[in-house]
Amino acid sequence: MNVFSHPDFDDHEKVLFGSDPASGLKAIIAVHNTNRGPALGGCRMWPYNNDNEAMRDVLRLSRGMTYKSALANLPLGGGKAVIIGNPREQKTPELLRAMGRLIESVSGHYITAEDSGTSVPDLKIMAEETSYVAGIHEKHCLDGQLRSGDPSPSTAYGVFVGLKSAVQYRLGTNDLSGLKVAVQGVGNVGFRLAKHLKEAGAELWVTDIYDDMVKRCVNELGATAVSSDEIFGLDVDVFAPCAMGSILNNHTIEQLKAKVIAGAANNQLENDAIHGEALRNKGILYAPDYAINSGGIIDVCYERLGNDDPDALNQHIESVHDTLMEIFSRSDSEQQSTHIIADAVARERFANPRNIHQAA
Ligand code: NAD
């Protein structure tokens, strides 16, 4: 397996392979960049088909975290960990403790958090061996409830703020009353986003693969239910993808009538270069996913730093507005699609880390 010549190797600072035969742990920690601070990113457990798949995932995801945290002006770098194995069959307390010791061996250059295949109880077991674990302490979330490890309310709030910014830029209004929004996926983030939109007076169309999730929106928010296929071609102002990745592709972009895309899902563009440009050519303003969905990482960062001032957290999440406005106006002046500008702004922020948000 190649490392330095791997196509996804991007001058990562550290790539650490760890194994513990007694517990069956096989894991990789990648620290992409720590210019702005320690590398924070989730620990994913997944039954990768081979080591190469795990390597590709950890290199790409850790790099993505550097960009996301830099764009959010956090005092954090980017890192990620992957455990190779099936979380339903191979996750044991011994394996999680061995992972905790591996994280401890990186001496705080990497801080772990929840991800696919790991949960808050798992992180608490890792925390028996290392203090470099985020997202495990109970706190009052933005919705007023006491919880640990669920950054969804903050993510949803950030997406709501960013959606308003995109509407202001593209449609020239700050008033969301009567705005038509299609939300794809009404789970943890999508439902909360829909609630914010409803409170602001927007009209909602929703879809989900689970009927109960859709019914909740119809009954509580007066949303109109549509099928998974119908959601793309609706005559709406905004399309908010809050389900899964690669949702902006040849098939869906062709159908879109919305002028703004602003949603929580990660990796929305199936192919960055092709589909970012296709949206721009169609006059659709795309709020880059990792710029608009940073509320969750901001929340986790505040918790990690012991800053429990909800006003400071809110203000920081609201800074997504300025970041997006910079991306949108540079996209116009430099005639480049928004995802390219987002990458450039992020690189400026982690190459020259002066503008770290003071509150964090
Ligand atoms: P979730 O699992 O709670 O909700 C996703 C919803 O999408 C589910 O209800 C699911 O049934 C639905 N769905 C899946 N495929 C669908 C399809 N083809 N059509 C319609 N609906 C479909 O997840 P979440 O926490 O709400 O996250 C949503 C997205 O936002 C994910 O892509 C996630 O990676 C991203 N994200 C989440 C956070 C966070 O704080 N939770 C932070 C950043 C990014």
Side-chain angles (χ1 to χ4, degrees):
M1 180 173 50
N2 297 333
V3 180
F4 296 114
S5 58
H6 192 288
D8 293 304
F9 182 78
D10 178 51
D11 291 331
H12 286 67
E13 289 177 14
K14 287 187 180 67
V15 181
L16 177 72
F17 298 84
S19 82
D20 176 59
S23 66
L25 177 75
K26 284 193 185 123
I28 314 175
I29 296 175
V31 172
H32 175 250
N33 184 289
T34 57
N35 282 3
R36 297 182 66 91
L40 191 145
C43 175
R44 179 169 287 191
M45 183 163 184
W46 194 254
Y48 294 101
N49 289 316
N50 52 55
D51 298 352
N52 258 325
E53 269 187 14
M55 183 68 174
R56 177 169 188 264
D57 219 18
V58 80
L59 291 177
R60 296 182 76 198
L61 293 167
S62 58
R63 178 180 184 275
M65 291 307 298
T66 301
Y67 279 69
K68 187 177 215 168
S69 288
L71 213 48
N73 281 327
L74 291 170
L76 293 175
K80 205 84 181 182
V82 296
I83 300 175
I84 300 169
N86 187 329
R88 292 186 177 210
E89 292 164 11
Q90 288 160 276
K91 196 163 64 180
T92 60
E94 293 71 31
L95 178 138
L96 293 166
R97 275 193 280 272
M99 187 64 201
R101 289 192 293 278
L102 188 67
I103 293 165
E104 181 66 20
S105 75
V106 201
S107 312
H109 293 283
Y110 169 68
I111 301 169
T112 202
E114 198 181 341
D115 205 285
S116 311
T118 60
S119 61
V120 172
D122 298 335
L123 292 181
K124 286 184 174 168
I125 297 174
M126 291 184 201
E128 293 171 19
E129 304 284 344
T130 179
S131 60
Y132 302 115
V133 178
I136 54 174
H137 300 296
E138 288 207 326
K139 61 179 189 297
H140 282 99
C141 294
L142 280 183
D143 60 5
Q145 291 180 18
L146 192 63
R147 266 199 305 269
S148 64
D150 180 8
S152 309
S154 294
T155 303
Y157 181 56
V159 174
F160 174 63
V161 170
L163 186 153
K164 282 197 293 183
S165 313
V167 166
Q168 183 188 333
Y169 192 87
R170 180 67 180 80
L171 305 176
T173 177
N174 289 319
D175 183 5
L176 300 195
S177 57
L179 188 85
K180 294 180 176 155
V181 185
V183 185
Q184 183 200 33
V186 279
N188 286 321
V189 180
F191 177 70
R192 289 183 171 94
L193 171 66
K195 229 171 148 182
H196 284 300
L197 289 164
K198 173 72 184 172
E199 280 158 17
E203 266 185 79
L204 300 168
W205 282 259
V206 299
T207 192
D208 199 288
I209 48 177
Y210 294 112
D211 282 347
D212 53 334
M213 308 302 261
V214 171
K215 279 192 186 128
R216 180 168 66 155
C217 292
V218 173
N219 295 338
E220 293 182 31
L221 308 176
T224 303
V226 297
S227 72
S228 295
D229 291 336
E230 272 176 298
I231 196 83
F232 307 109
L234 295 174
D235 190 8
V236 291
D237 302 301
V238 180
F239 173 54
C242 297
M244 72 290 200
S246 298
I247 201 59
L248 302 172
N249 51 48
N250 292 343
H251 174 65
T252 59
I253 291 173
E254 193 184 56
Q255 300 173 57
L256 288 174
K257 296 197 180 80
K259 291 280 173 260
V260 168
I261 297 175
N266 280 314
N267 304 320
Q268 292 173 27
L269 298 169
E270 186 180 88
N271 177 304
D272 281 358
I274 295 172
H275 300 117
E277 197 54 20
L279 291 172
R280 196 169 81 84
N281 289 338
K282 230 183 144 179
I284 299 175
L285 182 63
Y286 167 59
D289 43 25
Y290 76 89
I292 195 172
N293 73 13
S294 60
I297 185 79
I298 296 172
D299 187 309
V300 171
C301 176
Y302 271 60
E303 187 217 295
R304 174 73 198 165
L305 296 174
N307 184 339
D308 56 5
D309 175 355
D311 293 333
L313 174 63
N314 264 7
Q315 264 182 30
H316 197 144
I317 293 172
E318 285 163 5
S319 70
V320 73
H321 170 81
D322 291 343
T323 297
L324 282 177
M325 286 308 201
E326 179 179 350
I327 291 169
F328 296 154
S329 64
R330 276 180 60 173
S331 162
D332 277 343
S333 62
E334 296 175 28
Q335 293 291 296
Q336 295 269 19
S337 43
T338 51
H339 78 283
I340 290 180
I341 301 294
D343 282 357
V345 174
R347 273 194 298 273
E348 287 159 17
R349 292 184 185 182
F350 71 78
N352 182 13
R354 276 176 311 185
N355 49 356
I356 292 174
H357 200 285
Q358 290 310 306

